[in-house]
Amino acid sequence: MKSQLKQIVLIFISRFKEMSKKTSTEGKILEAAYRLFLGKGYRHTTMDDIAQDLGMSKKTLYKYYPGKLDLLSGSFEVLKTKMTAKVEAILDNRYISFPLKLKSMLTVIATHLAPINPELFEDLRDHAPEIWEELTTYINESAYLRFAKLIEQGAAQGLVNPRLNTSLIVMLYAAAIQSLLDPKFSSQFPEALQKGMKIPPSEIYDQAISIIYNGILTDEARNEFQNA
């Protein structure tokens, strides 16, 4: 009996190690693929590139993921899981103030979405429409709805102007970010303005947040504007 039990335990341990190794390998593959997608875009990244980056054969890579689209989908699932966990943790934390929650949430959103450069967004829309739709749906239904929930918390605490419409606050932020990162939107403007926008996506997020929530005026000018 003891011998059988020992054998069962050994089999369980062996299978657990195999599963852990498989999970670890899959994680490394997705990390490498996502890094290449961000750097080269979806179209210009090949399975050969990913296998070479990982130092494994393409045959081994295909054992884990049957194609590039599966890698793209898996990469964004990891991204969404990380974002959701961090945003939920911020919302549920009763020990930090509303302004800190607001700053923290916007930082989390920017940190995870800013690296997705406009070219990759365009690649997704044109060459992986299902994943593009899943990602935009997630951002709209998850990130922005949670953001709205936070604004409502601030209003209840008297820290957000109650006259302002919560949906409008969130939509202004969303519209600004989505438009600024969309090459088709920026291409409508004069070339001089387009050249002036050659700044990193992370800077776009930071400045958009600052303009929307702090305004463009200095304290002195803001007082004069309000009293005009």
Side-chain angles (χ1 to χ4, degrees):
M1 184 69 177
K2 286 184 179 180
S3 176
Q4 288 180 331
L5 183 59
K6 184 178 180 181
Q7 189 175 6
I8 291 171
V9 170
L10 289 173
I11 291 172
F12 176 79
I13 291 173
S14 175
R15 288 181 178 175
F16 179 77
K17 286 181 177 178
E18 287 177 9
M19 288 174 62
S20 297
K21 184 180 178 182
K22 182 174 184 291
T23 303
S24 175
T25 303
E26 287 175 346
K28 289 178 182 177
I29 291 172
L30 289 177
E31 185 180 331
Y34 188 57
R35 185 174 64 251
L36 287 170
F37 291 146
L38 291 179
K40 301 177 64 173
Y42 176 70
R43 273 186 309 157
H44 300 298
T45 299
T46 66
M47 293 294 276
D48 282 313
D49 292 332
I50 298 166
Q52 186 176 356
D53 186 86
L54 289 160
M56 66 170 56
S57 68
K58 195 159 66 169
K59 184 179 179 181
T60 302
L61 178 59
Y62 277 116
K63 285 182 181 179
Y64 289 94
Y65 293 95
K68 192 168 69 167
L69 196 62
D70 300 279
L71 282 166
L72 185 69
S73 178
S75 298
F76 281 117
E77 283 304 316
V78 172
L79 174 73
K80 289 186 283 187
T81 300
K82 287 180 179 178
M83 275 188 63
T84 297
K86 290 181 179 179
V87 169
E88 285 289 352
I90 292 167
L91 274 176
D92 295 339
N93 192 325
R94 296 178 296 169
Y95 303 102
I96 59 176
S97 65
F98 170 76
L100 185 55
K101 278 189 177 185
L102 178 61
K103 178 68 175 176
S104 299
M105 178 176 285
L106 293 174
T107 298
V108 166
I109 294 173
T111 299
H112 287 81
L113 297 184
I116 309 175
N117 57 60
E119 289 76 17
L120 181 54
F121 271 127
E122 197 165 21
D123 267 1
L124 292 177
R125 188 170 49 204
D126 294 342
H127 303 283
E130 289 184 6
I131 295 175
W132 164 258
E133 187 175 340
E134 287 174 6
L135 180 61
T136 52
T137 298
Y138 167 79
I139 293 172
N140 290 334
E141 294 183 355
S142 184
Y144 292 145
L145 283 179
R146 287 185 173 92
F147 186 24
K149 182 179 176 182
L150 179 59
I151 297 298
E152 289 168 358
Q153 286 181 11
Q157 295 172 28
L159 299 171
V160 172
N161 190 332
R163 295 188 299 105
L164 298 178
N165 182 284
T166 298
S167 296
L168 180 60
I169 293 171
V170 176
M171 286 182 184
L172 278 174
Y173 172 72
I177 294 301
Q178 290 179 357
S179 297
L180 291 171
L181 294 176
D182 185 351
K184 291 182 179 178
F185 175 79
S186 59
S187 66
Q188 303 173 61
F189 291 86
E191 189 174 345
L193 288 178
Q194 292 184 46
K195 287 181 179 178
M197 276 295 292
K198 297 298 182 183
I199 58 176
S202 57
E203 187 69 16
I204 290 176
Y205 275 89
D206 286 343
Q207 291 201 26
I209 291 169
S210 179
I211 292 168
I212 293 170
Y213 298 106
N214 291 325
I216 63 171
L217 303 177
T218 63
D219 290 340
E220 182 182 352
R222 190 180 296 116
N223 289 332
E224 186 176 340
F225 178 80
Q226 289 174 345
N227 294 324

